[in-house]
């Protein structure tokens, strides 16, 4: 049965979906800044992160207001608490896009990423954008299968992360330490973006099934 | 006036303080494993992270139970919500200690960290242990000054992080890429540990003063 509580919760859910769109865009543009050495785009991603933080605070305020006014219990209460945790994870995804833009800015007008790992970085970005989109869909639908698809997509991200580390450790790697440091951090940022999407997915699975997924991340380094 | 709500909230707070002790110990032991190339200690830190995750879930369950039974509003409600966010940050501090132990395990029986940055790593670890302790004290006392001390201590951590990056980028750095990757990630893990302590401190300041601190991290890379 629909009631005021569910209308309020829908508003929270809509804001969460909006946040996933914002972080997906941030990730796309951060990678554009990196790949095309575009300082203006890098700066705009960094500036736009404040907007994501603002929406996150709105979600927290909406949720607290909802708890105070509706005093939900049981599953309803769990859903509100979960929404706040999701907002935290999605905000962090935005921070990671900003970190990537900051590396693009720091190395400008140089390209931070050497040619041979550029395809991996591009693939990681595509994976991240897809993860943001799927995360929004899973929040909207509360569908366990959509959530499970996020975990599969993150396996692809972990695989790309491993490939970059393999390239860094290969005999053929012939770049200054500065580049190794940049590529290490960039790969880590994309991989962590995926981990936060999985954390959101795990919460959806828990809400729907009452069971926790694996609390550990897909990949540890 | 003391009441059942505050007794419940004290229990949540005690668990949070307990978590800060656990992550401080984890960080100390992870660094011991790294510095002394001690595989047994590394393994035990990795295994013990499950205990931290368990306490975090207990905090979440206690908080949800408290919301359902006491139906707090206004500041009381904010305190419970804040406690859940703090638990999330402190759990993440434990994950970072585990990441450090995993690098020690991966490189065993080799030393992951070259001699010239070992003093920096040791100082970062001391700083992290101190941050965990101060975070527990600030949670216990809800003292704004204690919280502000955490921010100052984290400035020291950021400074050490910069020093390690300067060493990585210096002419004198003469180690394989693998070592640069390990040191980059290790330094990042200690620095992030500090960021999460600051996030907890910011929440205490907000609870007490009603004003947000700077939402951005102290250091971006």
């Amino acid at each position: 049965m629909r009631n005021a509580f569910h209308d309020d919760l829908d508003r929270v859910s809509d804001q969460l979906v909006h946040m996933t769109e914002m972080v997906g865009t941030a990730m796309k543009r951060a990678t554009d800044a990196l790949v095309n050495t575009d300082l203006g785009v890098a700066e705009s991603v960094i500036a736009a992160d404040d907007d994501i933080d603002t929406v996150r605070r709105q979600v927290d305020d909406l949720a607290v207001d909802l708890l105070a006014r509706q005093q939900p219990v049981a599953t309803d209460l769990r859903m509100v608490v979960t929404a706040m945790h999701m907002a935290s994870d999605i905000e962090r995804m935005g921070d990671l896009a900003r970190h990537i833009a900051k590396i693009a800015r720091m190395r400008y007008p140089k390209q931070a990423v050497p040619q041979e790992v550029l395809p991996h970085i591009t693939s990681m970005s595509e994976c991240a954008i897809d993860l943001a989109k799927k995360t929004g869909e899973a929040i909207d639908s509360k569908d366990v299968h959509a959530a499970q698809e996020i975990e599969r997509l993150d396996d692809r991200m972990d695989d790309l992360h491993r490939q970059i580390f393999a390239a860094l450790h290969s005999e053929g790697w012939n770049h200054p330490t500065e580049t190794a440091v940049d590529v290490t951090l960039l790969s880590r940022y994309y991989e962590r973006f995926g981990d936060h999407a999985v954390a959101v997915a795990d919460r959806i699975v828990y809400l729907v099934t009452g069971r926790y997924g694996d609390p550990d991340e897909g990949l540890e380094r």
Side-chain angles (χ1 to χ4, degrees), chain A:
Chain A
M1 202 191 70
R2 301 292 309 172
N3 56 25
F5 171 79
H6 288 103
D7 288 342
D8 283 352
L9 194 62
D10 281 350
R11 262 195 291 279
V12 172
S13 180
D14 289 348
Q15 287 288 65
L16 289 175
V17 173
H18 179 44
M19 284 182 76
T20 63
E21 290 160 0
M22 292 173 94
V23 302
T25 300
M27 200 45 132
K28 187 189 176 311
R29 302 192 76 231
T31 309
D32 287 348
L34 195 66
V35 172
N36 308 322
T37 57
D38 189 326
L39 184 61
V41 171
E43 293 282 11
S44 81
V45 172
I46 295 162
D49 190 55
D50 283 348
D51 299 336
I52 299 170
D53 294 348
T54 300
V55 179
R56 186 262 165 99
R57 277 183 193 161
Q58 288 170 352
V59 171
D60 260 13
D61 289 342
L62 269 172
V64 167
D65 184 55
L66 198 164
L67 290 174
R69 281 189 302 105
Q70 309 275 1
Q71 312 244 325
V73 294
T75 305
D76 288 348
L77 173 56
R78 275 272 173 208
M79 288 204 293
V80 182
V81 167
T82 298
M84 284 191 284
H85 286 310
M86 288 178 178
S88 171
D89 275 304
I90 304 168
E91 186 206 328
R92 184 74 199 137
M93 292 163 84
D95 290 343
L96 292 161
R98 187 188 55 190
H99 288 343
I100 290 167
K102 286 207 168 182
I103 290 186
R105 181 173 73 176
M106 186 166 50
R107 295 297 166 228
Y108 179 83
K110 280 200 305 179
Q111 167 73 266
V113 179
Q115 284 301 318
E116 73 248 45
V117 292
L118 214 46
H120 298 85
I121 291 288
T122 307
S123 297
M124 285 183 113
S125 172
E126 285 163 3
C127 197
I129 294 162
D130 211 7
L131 276 163
K133 188 165 174 286
K134 293 269 189 298
T135 301
E137 288 169 6
I139 290 169
D140 194 47
S141 67
K142 273 109 198 148
D143 176 15
V144 170
H145 297 293
Q148 285 163 341
E149 206 182 324
I150 288 168
E151 310 216 5
R152 276 196 298 278
L153 205 51
D154 186 55
D155 290 342
R156 163 98 179 112
M157 183 72 99
D158 290 346
D159 195 41
L160 287 162
H161 186 52
R162 274 187 218 99
Q163 287 176 31
I164 286 194
F165 273 65
L168 279 165
H169 292 120
S170 71
E171 295 267 325
W173 181 264
N174 188 21
H175 298 283
T177 304
E178 177 179 281
T179 305
V181 169
D182 285 348
V183 171
T184 299
L185 290 173
L186 287 166
S187 187
R188 170 92 184 147
Y189 296 150
Y190 286 104
E191 186 249 328
R192 287 293 300 155
F193 189 96
D195 287 340
H196 286 285
V198 169
V200 172
D202 283 346
R203 290 190 183 280
I204 294 168
V205 171
Y206 178 68
L207 264 188
V208 176
T209 67
R211 271 170 302 164
Y212 286 110
D214 184 349
D216 289 325
E217 293 151 37
L219 193 66
E220 295 304 332
R221 57 157 300 176

